[in-house]
Amino acid sequence: GINAEYMGIATGLATNFQSALPTLAPGKVLPMNILSEIASRIASDGPLDDIFNLFTSLESQIRNEQVQHDELYARQQVECSGERSFREKEIAEATNAINLASD
């Protein structure tokens, strides 16, 4: 039936993803994990709401990770700016020392 067809497609895609993608950090959501979960829910004739809830949960997780990445990026930008300023002052002092020693 149609569930078996969807399960076959999802399982095939999950297998292809698994062989094509390297393993990322533990706990990360991988496409193969999502497809495997969908295939499992279809195979068990579970309600479509379960699959919808899976996508809703995934979206929430992705949005939370994006917030974390954005916060990390902002912190690193501040650190880089401070480091650049420090290094530019060091270069200016060294250049000044060279100029004074050359005179």
Side-chain angles (χ1 to χ4, degrees), residues 17-34:
F17 276 125
Q18 190 168 14
S19 63
L21 294 175
T23 303
L24 300 177
K28 294 291 182 186
V29 174
L30 300 175
M32 62 191 159
N33 296 15
I34 296 166

Side-chain angles (χ1 to χ4, degrees), residues 59-77:
E59 178 186 20
S60 176
Q61 182 178 352
I62 290 170
R63 289 184 188 279
N64 288 337
E65 286 180 14
Q66 186 62 53
V67 167
Q68 292 172 1
H69 287 289
D70 291 346
E71 290 170 353
L72 176 62
Y73 175 78
R75 283 193 310 270
Q76 289 177 336
Q77 287 298 100

Side-chain angles (χ1 to χ4, degrees), residues 10 14 29-40 54-55 58 62:
V29 174
L30 300 175
M32 62 191 159
N33 296 15
I34 296 166
L35 292 172
S36 294
E37 183 67 25
I38 291 170
S40 170
L54 176 68
F55 283 117
L58 175 62
I62 290 170

